[in-house]
Amino acid sequence: MEIIVTPNPEAVGEYAARRIAALIENKPDAVLGVATGSSPVPTYQALERKVRTGLDMSQVSAFALDEYVGLDEGHPQSYAEVVRRDVTERLELDPNLVHVPSGHAHDILAACEDYEAQIREAGGVDIQILGIGANGHIGFNEPSSSLSGRTRVKTLTPKTRKDNARFFDNDLSQVPTHCITQGIGTILDSRVALLVATGEGKADAVAAMAEGPMGAFCPASALQLHRRAVVVVDEAAASGLKNREYYDFVRDHRPDWQVEPQGRDERTVTSAHRRTTT
Ligand code: GLP
């Protein structure tokens, strides 16, 4: 796991957007995994600035991590709407290439399987953008979720419903109790997992994810198994990390082949490394 500590949320967004843009410049039809919540907003804003200055995202496809079950179609807080506003429109994506699990399908279990099939047919996710819940959830995989689960229906914890009530006029009764979420197994299949976290409220979850034992009690800790997990945090979210000095040392001593020059994605970097080491 690569841990990059930056001074503030804007710098988190800039750094994450730079890595995503490098991938897209090299692979214009990249597949992005997109997260909702407040954490990735600075990343989307930074990407939007890059789009305004010429980054072409028109061939990029996107798969959302999760969706509430039971909200009316078009509900402003449904993730379909959040993704449309914060991602599709801002980044000028082709709406036909943006996918969100259906929270009101007649056969919801079939819809979950179909979502997994759509991801496979698209060739898999190149970069999965992730936030982290204060209780360590990723997507909506709450503590105790299977670490190998696939897209399915989950019950939200009271803590997550309370945290998300701010998006529903602080009225808990309006917050759905169930959701569809990609499973941790689905997330681990992504080629790169890019998790962003900001603020002191995430410090414990970030420390448990990166430095705690891997286990279902902190679902994000499953990223310890991911072959290419990149965690970008601000100072406040990094404040619980014990091994901080080492992370900064790694960041400041990245070999040339590991630095992402324009137009090279993670796989190109890896093959360049292989060329220089074999
Ligand atoms: C939400 C989403 C997650 C998100 C997390 C943190 O409920 N399902 O994808 O990462 O909770 O949200 P925020 O970034 O607003 O703190």
Side-chain angles (χ1 to χ4, degrees):
M1 191 180 285
E2 182 184 359
I3 299 178
I4 308 285
V5 184
T6 68
N8 52 49
E10 290 67 38
V12 168
E14 270 303 327
Y15 185 91
R18 214 163 56 232
R19 292 187 76 140
I20 297 164
L23 167 74
I24 294 166
E25 280 160 3
N26 198 44
K27 187 181 180 195
D29 60 349
V31 179
L32 282 190
V34 293
T36 53
S38 46
S39 309
V41 170
T43 302
Y44 298 141
Q45 287 169 340
L47 270 176
E48 184 182 4
R49 289 193 288 276
K50 292 185 189 301
V51 169
R52 302 249 172 277
T53 54
L55 178 68
D56 179 8
M57 295 188 68
S58 60
Q59 294 176 61
V60 167
S61 52
F63 286 88
L65 275 172
D66 45 17
E67 176 60 291
Y68 291 111
V69 169
L71 292 182
D72 292 338
E73 202 163 355
H75 188 293
Q77 291 310 326
S78 69
Y79 285 170
E81 282 298 296
V82 173
V83 167
R84 186 183 59 73
R85 287 193 305 264
D86 286 356
V87 182
T88 314
E89 287 183 357
R90 273 181 197 279
L91 307 184
E92 299 178 8
L93 301 185
D94 176 348
N96 296 316
L97 299 178
V98 180
H99 311 268
V100 180
S102 170
H104 42 76
H106 178 61
D107 184 344
I108 211 148
L109 298 181
C112 293
E113 280 178 24
D114 185 50
Y115 199 65
E116 287 276 334
Q118 287 182 53
I119 296 173
R120 273 196 309 277
E121 279 157 24
V125 170
D126 288 303
I127 287 201
Q128 176 62 62
I129 302 167
L130 295 164
I132 183 170
N135 64 4
H137 74 224
I138 46 175
F140 266 140
N141 294 282
E142 298 284 31
S144 81
S145 290
S146 159
L147 299 187
S148 61
R150 312 302 304 189
T151 302
R152 69 220 181 286
V153 174
K154 289 291 291 177
T155 309
L156 298 172
T157 61
K159 163 84 177 136
T160 298
R161 293 187 64 238
K162 203 166 146 233
D163 285 350
N164 288 4
R166 67 189 195 277
F167 298 115
F168 294 85
D169 303 324
N170 287 315
D171 177 359
L172 195 57
S173 69
Q174 288 185 41
V175 186
T177 50
H178 291 82
C179 63
I180 296 182
T181 182
Q182 286 187 30
I184 292 172
T186 321
I187 293 168
L188 291 179
D189 283 347
S190 59
R191 294 185 184 91
V192 178
L194 178 66
L195 186 143
V196 289
T198 56
E200 215 183 322
K202 299 293 171 70
D204 289 346
V206 167
M209 165 188 68
E211 296 178 341
M214 191 181 69
F217 195 64
C218 177
S221 67
L223 293 177
Q224 293 173 20
L225 281 178
H226 198 288
R227 58 196 152 167
R228 196 82 183 89
V230 182
V231 173
V232 191
V233 291
D234 66 355
E235 287 288 347
S239 59
L241 292 169
K242 294 194 192 76
N243 213 9
R244 168 70 192 272
E245 216 176 303
Y246 176 63
Y247 308 140
D248 289 351
F249 184 84
V250 172
R251 182 197 58 203
D252 297 340
H253 293 81
R254 288 183 100 205
D256 281 351
W257 56 264
Q258 223 180 16
V259 177
E260 279 131 334
Q262 294 268 316
R264 292 166 77 196
D265 76 356
E266 303 287 338
R267 278 164 298 168
T268 314
V269 168
T270 306
S271 48
H273 173 50
R274 232 178 273 127
R275 275 200 299 279
T276 58
T277 52
T278 52

XYZ file of all heavy atoms in Angstrom, residues 33-44 63-68 76-88 98-101 115 128-133 137-140 160 164 166-168 179-182 194 196 202:
457
model
N -13.703 3.495 -11.697
C -14.673 3.163 -10.663
C -14.897 4.435 -9.864
O -13.927 5.060 -9.425
N -16.142 4.878 -9.729
C -16.367 6.167 -9.070
C -17.116 6.005 -7.748
O -18.017 5.174 -7.622
C -17.087 7.175 -9.996
C -16.183 7.562 -11.153
C -18.403 6.631 -10.529
N -16.685 6.809 -6.793
C -17.296 6.788 -5.465
C -18.106 8.070 -5.269
O -17.817 9.092 -5.895
C -16.204 6.714 -4.401
N -19.074 7.984 -4.402
C -19.827 9.187 -4.015
C -19.310 9.643 -2.647
O -18.232 9.242 -2.231
C -21.338 8.877 -3.965
O -21.497 7.723 -3.126
C -21.884 8.586 -5.345
N -20.072 10.471 -1.960
C -19.614 10.995 -0.669
C -18.822 12.268 -0.888
O -18.544 12.670 -2.028
N -18.426 12.909 0.213
C -17.739 14.199 0.089
C -16.249 14.038 -0.209
O -15.633 14.919 -0.811
C -17.937 15.018 1.368
O -17.702 14.197 2.499
N -15.659 12.898 0.178
C -14.195 12.759 0.045
C -13.671 12.941 -1.384
O -12.662 13.622 -1.574
C -13.737 11.407 0.585
O -14.232 11.196 1.867
N -14.311 12.318 -2.394
C -13.734 12.454 -3.742
C -14.051 13.773 -4.435
O -13.564 14.006 -5.540
C -14.354 11.287 -4.526
C -15.294 10.599 -3.625
C -15.454 11.396 -2.393
N -14.848 14.636 -3.811
C -15.264 15.865 -4.507
C -14.063 16.711 -4.960
O -14.000 17.128 -6.132
C -16.282 16.676 -3.661
C -16.526 18.055 -4.253
C -17.600 15.892 -3.559
N -13.042 16.952 -4.085
C -11.885 17.725 -4.577
C -11.163 17.040 -5.739
O -10.608 17.717 -6.609
C -10.960 17.811 -3.349
C -11.856 17.604 -2.175
C -12.932 16.668 -2.640
N -11.215 15.704 -5.779
C -10.596 14.981 -6.902
C -11.375 15.262 -8.183
O -10.804 15.547 -9.240
C -10.577 13.458 -6.614
O -9.861 13.242 -5.401
C -9.930 12.676 -7.744
N -12.708 15.191 -8.093
C -13.518 15.470 -9.274
C -13.343 16.930 -9.718
O -13.299 17.230 -10.914
C -15.003 15.158 -9.008
C -15.263 13.693 -8.688
C -16.194 13.315 -7.715
C -14.577 12.678 -9.351
C -16.421 11.979 -7.418
C -14.794 11.338 -9.057
C -15.721 10.998 -8.091
O -15.943 9.670 -7.789
N -18.122 3.147 -13.540
C -19.029 2.297 -12.757
C -19.058 2.818 -11.334
O -18.004 2.930 -10.690
C -18.540 0.839 -12.765
C -18.783 0.145 -14.079
C -17.847 0.224 -15.096
C -19.962 -0.543 -14.298
C -18.073 -0.394 -16.324
C -20.204 -1.172 -15.524
C -19.257 -1.094 -16.537
N -20.256 3.134 -10.847
C -20.382 3.590 -9.460
C -20.261 2.400 -8.518
O -20.562 1.264 -8.885
C -21.721 4.284 -9.257
N -19.842 2.706 -7.306
C -19.664 1.653 -6.306
C -20.976 1.139 -5.750
O -21.108 -0.038 -5.429
C -18.903 2.225 -5.098
C -17.399 2.265 -5.126
C -16.902 3.035 -3.917
C -16.831 0.850 -5.117
N -21.929 2.053 -5.573
C -23.087 1.661 -4.769
C -24.299 2.549 -5.046
O -24.204 3.546 -5.771
C -22.724 1.687 -3.269
C -21.945 2.947 -2.867
O -21.954 3.921 -3.635
O -21.336 2.960 -1.791
N -25.417 2.149 -4.489
C -26.665 2.912 -4.651
C -27.600 2.555 -3.492
O -27.551 1.432 -2.964
C -27.312 2.547 -5.998
C -28.673 3.172 -6.283
C -28.696 4.698 -6.296
O -28.516 5.290 -5.203
O -28.922 5.294 -7.359
N -28.406 3.510 -3.080
C -29.436 3.211 -2.081
C -30.540 2.373 -2.712
O -30.822 2.512 -3.905
C -30.066 4.502 -1.568
C -29.142 5.353 -0.737
C -28.675 6.576 -1.211
C -28.749 4.953 0.537
C -27.827 7.368 -0.443
C -27.910 5.739 1.314
C -27.451 6.943 0.819
O -26.629 7.721 1.581
N -32.855 13.387 -5.612
C -31.578 14.117 -5.694
C -30.441 13.465 -4.922
O -29.281 13.676 -5.244
C -31.907 15.505 -5.123
C -33.274 15.412 -4.533
C -33.965 14.224 -5.143
N -30.751 12.650 -3.911
C -29.676 11.997 -3.149
C -29.422 10.560 -3.585
O -28.594 9.870 -2.980
C -29.979 12.067 -1.640
C -29.894 13.476 -1.091
C -28.603 14.193 -1.481
O -27.543 13.593 -1.590
N -28.705 15.497 -1.718
N -30.175 10.111 -4.613
C -29.825 8.778 -5.138
C -28.441 8.926 -5.752
O -28.066 9.983 -6.263
C -30.840 8.324 -6.190
O -30.707 9.126 -7.346
N -27.655 7.856 -5.693
C -26.299 7.976 -6.215
C -26.307 8.134 -7.735
O -25.374 8.696 -8.311
C -25.431 6.812 -5.739
C -25.020 6.940 -4.271
C -24.417 5.890 -3.597
C -25.227 8.132 -3.571
C -24.024 6.018 -2.260
C -24.839 8.271 -2.249
C -24.243 7.209 -1.591
O -23.853 7.344 -0.284
N -27.384 7.653 -8.375
C -27.494 7.875 -9.824
C -27.469 9.377 -10.104
O -26.803 9.851 -11.031
C -28.774 7.251 -10.359
N -28.186 10.146 -9.271
C -28.231 11.599 -9.468
C -26.935 12.263 -9.034
O -26.443 13.181 -9.690
C -29.408 12.200 -8.683
C -30.735 11.998 -9.354
C -30.786 12.681 -10.727
O -30.690 13.915 -10.797
O -30.896 11.958 -11.734
N -26.374 11.795 -7.909
C -25.117 12.379 -7.417
C -24.019 12.171 -8.466
O -23.268 13.097 -8.794
C -24.719 11.762 -6.054
C -23.340 12.247 -5.628
C -25.755 12.091 -4.988
N -23.956 10.958 -9.010
C -22.929 10.658 -10.020
C -23.173 11.507 -11.272
O -22.242 12.043 -11.868
C -22.904 9.142 -10.341
C -22.093 8.851 -11.597
C -22.338 8.363 -9.158
N -24.434 11.654 -11.644
C -24.736 12.476 -12.834
C -24.226 13.913 -12.631
O -23.538 14.478 -13.489
C -26.250 12.478 -13.114
C -26.651 13.175 -14.402
C -28.157 13.216 -14.615
N -28.881 13.893 -13.543
C -28.879 15.211 -13.342
N -28.203 16.003 -14.132
N -29.553 15.740 -12.322
N -24.542 14.481 -11.433
C -24.149 15.881 -11.170
C -22.641 16.041 -10.974
O -22.012 16.913 -11.545
C -24.823 16.377 -9.872
C -26.298 16.645 -9.965
C -26.770 17.425 -8.750
N -26.438 16.788 -7.481
C -27.256 16.002 -6.780
N -28.459 15.737 -7.238
N -26.879 15.481 -5.628
N -22.075 15.164 -10.084
C -20.682 15.378 -9.649
C -19.650 14.789 -10.591
O -18.499 15.204 -10.583
C -20.436 14.747 -8.263
C -21.078 15.544 -7.156
O -21.643 16.615 -7.460
O -21.013 15.096 -5.999
N -20.068 13.778 -11.360
C -19.076 13.089 -12.189
C -19.392 13.274 -13.683
O -18.613 13.885 -14.417
C -19.002 11.583 -11.830
C -17.939 10.882 -12.658
C -18.717 11.397 -10.338
N -20.533 12.757 -14.116
C -20.822 12.740 -15.560
C -20.794 14.155 -16.149
O -20.129 14.401 -17.166
C -22.197 12.084 -15.821
O -22.275 10.885 -15.056
C -22.393 11.771 -17.288
N -21.798 5.610 -18.409
C -21.749 5.720 -16.941
C -22.814 4.799 -16.340
O -23.982 4.866 -16.712
C -21.987 7.180 -16.488
C -21.938 7.277 -14.966
C -20.938 8.107 -17.112
N -22.387 3.945 -15.425
C -23.275 2.919 -14.884
C -23.382 3.067 -13.370
O -22.379 3.267 -12.687
C -22.738 1.523 -15.209
C -22.363 1.366 -16.661
N -23.242 0.903 -17.600
C -21.209 1.654 -17.321
C -22.643 0.892 -18.784
N -21.415 1.345 -18.637
N -24.606 2.924 -12.876
C -24.858 2.945 -11.431
C -25.775 1.759 -11.149
O -26.712 1.515 -11.925
C -25.558 4.276 -11.011
C -25.813 4.311 -9.513
C -24.730 5.490 -11.438
N -25.520 0.998 -10.074
C -26.433 -0.128 -9.799
C -27.868 0.377 -9.633
O -28.076 1.485 -9.146
C -25.919 -0.705 -8.466
C -24.573 -0.122 -8.254
C -24.491 1.150 -9.036
N -24.848 -6.290 -12.944
C -23.859 -5.213 -12.762
C -22.439 -5.778 -12.808
O -21.553 -5.230 -13.456
C -24.122 -4.501 -11.429
C -23.493 -3.132 -11.356
C -23.913 -2.105 -12.201
C -22.480 -2.856 -10.444
C -23.340 -0.849 -12.139
C -21.899 -1.602 -10.366
C -22.340 -0.594 -11.221
O -21.772 0.654 -11.154
N -10.072 2.363 -9.415
C -11.249 2.467 -8.547
C -11.012 3.580 -7.539
O -10.127 3.487 -6.682
C -11.487 1.138 -7.816
C -12.631 1.187 -6.820
C -13.963 1.490 -7.484
O -14.416 0.729 -8.319
N -14.599 2.610 -7.115
N -11.777 4.657 -7.647
C -11.699 5.741 -6.664
C -12.536 5.316 -5.458
O -13.666 4.839 -5.611
C -12.258 7.051 -7.260
C -11.487 7.431 -8.527
C -12.218 8.177 -6.227
C -12.156 8.520 -9.363
N -11.990 5.496 -4.271
C -12.699 5.096 -3.053
C -12.634 6.200 -2.007
O -11.622 6.890 -1.892
C -12.038 3.857 -2.426
C -12.061 2.552 -3.202
C -11.040 1.581 -2.619
C -13.465 1.942 -3.158
N -13.710 6.334 -1.226
C -13.637 7.059 0.032
C -13.599 6.009 1.132
O -13.530 4.808 0.863
N -13.649 6.449 2.364
C -13.715 5.482 3.481
C -14.700 6.024 4.506
O -14.712 7.229 4.784
C -12.305 5.244 4.092
C -12.345 4.179 5.201
C -11.686 6.541 4.603
C -10.953 3.725 5.673
N -15.546 5.160 5.014
C -16.469 5.583 6.064
C -15.725 5.703 7.391
O -14.667 5.096 7.577
N -15.828 1.490 6.379
C -16.457 0.853 5.211
C -15.893 1.414 3.900
O -15.451 2.564 3.834
C -17.990 0.923 5.258
C -18.622 2.250 4.982
N -19.662 2.753 5.729
C -18.403 3.183 4.029
C -20.042 3.917 5.249
N -19.292 4.197 4.212
N -15.897 0.587 2.871
C -15.622 1.060 1.507
C -16.806 0.629 0.652
O -17.363 -0.449 0.846
C -14.282 0.542 0.920
C -14.072 -0.957 1.162
C -13.118 1.349 1.449
C -12.825 -1.530 0.488
N -17.168 1.497 -0.310
C -18.468 1.320 -0.941
C -19.460 1.391 0.208
O -19.387 2.279 1.050
N -20.369 0.428 0.259
C -21.243 0.327 1.439
C -20.995 -1.020 2.121
O -21.900 -1.609 2.688
C -22.704 0.479 1.047
C -23.251 1.876 1.167
C -24.119 2.376 0.198
C -22.946 2.687 2.249
C -24.656 3.654 0.301
C -23.478 3.966 2.363
C -24.339 4.450 1.378
N -23.735 4.611 9.789
C -23.675 5.150 8.421
C -24.943 5.937 8.107
O -24.886 7.011 7.497
C -23.494 3.987 7.410
O -22.244 3.353 7.698
C -23.498 4.479 5.978
N -24.963 9.834 7.098
C -25.477 10.276 5.802
C -26.780 11.066 5.908
O -27.265 11.583 4.900
C -25.649 9.070 4.868
C -24.304 8.543 4.399
O -23.263 9.037 4.832
N -24.303 7.571 3.517
N -27.077 13.883 6.877
C -26.837 15.267 6.451
C -27.252 15.514 5.000
O -27.526 16.637 4.604
C -25.370 15.650 6.676
C -24.354 14.928 5.809
C -22.933 15.246 6.316
N -21.882 14.899 5.372
C -21.370 13.681 5.229
N -21.830 12.676 5.965
N -20.397 13.462 4.376
N -27.296 14.450 4.212
C -27.715 14.610 2.813
C -29.248 14.534 2.685
O -29.788 14.683 1.596
C -27.087 13.524 1.940
C -25.572 13.582 1.913
C -24.813 12.556 2.450
C -24.917 14.679 1.367
C -23.420 12.611 2.421
C -23.530 14.747 1.337
C -22.779 13.710 1.870
N -29.929 14.218 3.796
C -31.396 14.049 3.766
C -32.039 15.007 4.765
O -32.847 14.595 5.606
C -31.767 12.594 4.090
C -31.322 11.597 3.050
C -30.033 11.066 3.068
C -32.185 11.193 2.034
C -29.613 10.156 2.104
C -31.775 10.273 1.069
C -30.480 9.755 1.101
N -28.969 -0.939 0.690
C -28.216 -0.417 -0.459
C -27.782 -1.589 -1.326
O -27.854 -2.745 -0.894
C -26.982 0.324 0.040
S -25.869 -0.794 0.897
N -27.360 -1.256 -2.539
C -26.614 -2.231 -3.359
C -25.188 -1.726 -3.374
O -24.953 -0.534 -3.579
C -27.116 -2.253 -4.815
C -28.556 -2.724 -4.874
C -26.235 -3.147 -5.671
C -29.083 -2.821 -6.293
N -24.240 -2.611 -3.161
C -22.842 -2.183 -3.232
C -21.989 -3.223 -3.933
O -22.232 -4.430 -3.791
C -22.269 -1.894 -1.820
O -20.919 -1.426 -1.967
C -22.277 -3.105 -0.908
N -21.011 -2.740 -4.676
C -19.973 -3.664 -5.142
C -19.374 -4.307 -3.905
O -19.221 -3.658 -2.865
C -18.857 -2.906 -5.863
C -19.221 -2.418 -7.245
C -18.003 -1.831 -7.967
O -16.870 -2.242 -7.744
N -18.253 -0.876 -8.829
N -7.589 3.567 -5.575
C -7.109 4.894 -5.177
C -8.064 5.438 -4.119
O -9.176 5.854 -4.441
C -7.089 5.800 -6.414
C -6.661 7.245 -6.238
C -5.195 7.325 -5.827
C -6.853 8.013 -7.535
N -9.130 8.067 -1.206
C -8.880 9.429 -0.718
C -9.615 9.634 0.599
O -10.754 9.181 0.772
C -9.312 10.503 -1.752
C -8.371 10.525 -2.940
C -10.743 10.289 -2.241
N -11.622 10.876 9.924
C -11.246 9.656 9.212
C -9.928 9.075 9.739
O -9.478 8.025 9.259
C -11.128 9.931 7.708
C -12.421 10.404 7.054
C -13.474 9.306 7.052
C -14.836 9.786 6.606
N -14.923 10.123 5.199
